[in-house]
Amino acid sequence: MTAQPRRHRETHRSARTGWLRAGVLGSNDAIISTSSLMIGVGSSTTSEQAILIAGVAAVFAGALSMAVGEYVSVSAQRDTERADIARETHELATAPEAELQELAGIYARRGLDKELAMQVAVQLSERDRLGAHLRDELGIEHASLARPFQAAWISAASFALFALLPILGLVIAPASLRLGSIAVVTLASLAGLGALGGRLGGASMMRAALRVTVGGALAMAVTAGIGRLLGVAVG
Ligand SMILES: [Zn+2]
């Protein structure tokens, strides 16, 4: 009696925070790629202008590539959904009896006995026949139909927003501490967002923060090493 409402509430919470958690996890890309590029360039030159240009270029390149990538992948998903809906609509129009049997079969496989499965199939079909087939046969919810433009601009905007953090680390620092400042701002941002992501996912905040911080530190160390080697070799 007490367990059920509580369980319902938790399910609800996880559905609502899903997109937020995805955004937090995606922000790692923006922070790590921008800071690594800036530190790589900064290890080969002392020019603040060069480091800043590298950072700004990283923001635009990353945001645009996120937008294009997301648009292409979500468009492909939407095309598949549209084709599925068209095929299902056609089947419902040409073979309604077979489709009803098919739907009842799906409910029977989920554990309802045969008669009840048919009753459920009939009643759900009366309300929204296409909707029932899309949801239970193909796993498509009307509300969740893929939206390529929305996915594209949201991922571009969130990339750009988070990629500004390492640039902030550059502009607030005195000349002698530039790279250290970028690294500190980057690691602090990663730790904070990692902990937040862990909390939203119901996992350990400490472990989530540590994982992404170590990953970010490694990425910056590698590009710093490469930048130094290239700076010596080319310069
Ligand atoms: Zn069907």
Side-chain angles (χ1 to χ4, degrees):
M1 200 176 140
T2 51
Q4 193 138 354
R6 201 165 137 206
R7 197 170 146 230
H8 175 77
R9 239 179 112 186
E10 281 179 14
T11 311
H12 192 72
R13 189 195 73 155
S14 86
R16 204 179 50 206
T17 55
W19 64 270
L20 185 57
R21 183 158 180 261
V24 168
L25 294 177
S27 65
N28 296 336
D29 280 0
I31 298 171
I32 294 174
S33 65
T34 306
S35 64
S36 299
L37 188 54
M38 291 171 76
I39 284 181
V41 171
S43 300
S44 69
T45 174
T46 53
S47 159
E48 177 172 11
Q49 196 191 13
I51 305 173
L52 185 62
I53 290 171
V56 173
V59 173
F60 279 94
L64 292 172
S65 96
M66 289 293 288
V68 172
E70 200 68 1
Y71 182 81
V72 168
S73 113
V74 177
S75 292
Q77 188 191 335
R78 189 193 53 182
D79 291 347
T80 307
E81 286 175 354
R82 280 187 175 162
D84 278 343
I85 291 170
R87 202 188 52 211
E88 197 63 28
T89 306
H90 176 74
E91 283 173 4
L92 285 171
T94 52
E97 185 54 35
E99 283 292 315
L100 184 65
Q101 294 290 347
E102 183 186 32
L103 195 59
I106 289 167
Y107 299 135
R109 274 196 299 282
R110 288 185 191 170
L112 301 184
D113 63 47
K114 252 186 147 180
E115 241 167 81
L116 182 58
M118 182 49 85
Q119 278 179 25
V120 170
V122 168
Q123 284 197 16
L124 288 178
S125 297
E126 276 167 9
R127 227 187 81 210
D128 176 10
R129 199 162 60 133
L130 181 60
H133 279 263
L134 293 181
R135 185 183 61 239
D136 293 325
E137 189 185 331
L138 302 168
I140 301 173
E141 297 274 358
H142 266 306
S144 73
L145 274 180
R147 297 192 189 97
F149 265 116
Q150 191 187 48
W153 79 255
I154 287 177
S155 51
S158 76
F159 186 99
L161 184 70
F162 289 109
L164 287 176
L165 288 166
I167 294 181
L168 184 72
L170 171 70
V171 297
I172 60 171
S176 58
L177 296 173
R178 278 178 201 142
L179 299 191
S181 173
I182 294 171
V184 167
V185 170
T186 294
L187 294 176
S189 311
L190 290 174
L193 286 160
L196 180 63
R199 189 175 157 74
L200 292 172
S204 156
M205 291 170 70
M206 188 63 147
R207 195 181 311 164
L210 195 64
R211 196 159 41 206
V212 67
T213 310
V214 169
L218 276 173
M220 288 187 289
V222 168
T223 53
I226 292 171
R228 184 153 302 177
L229 285 175
L230 285 174
V232 171
V234 180

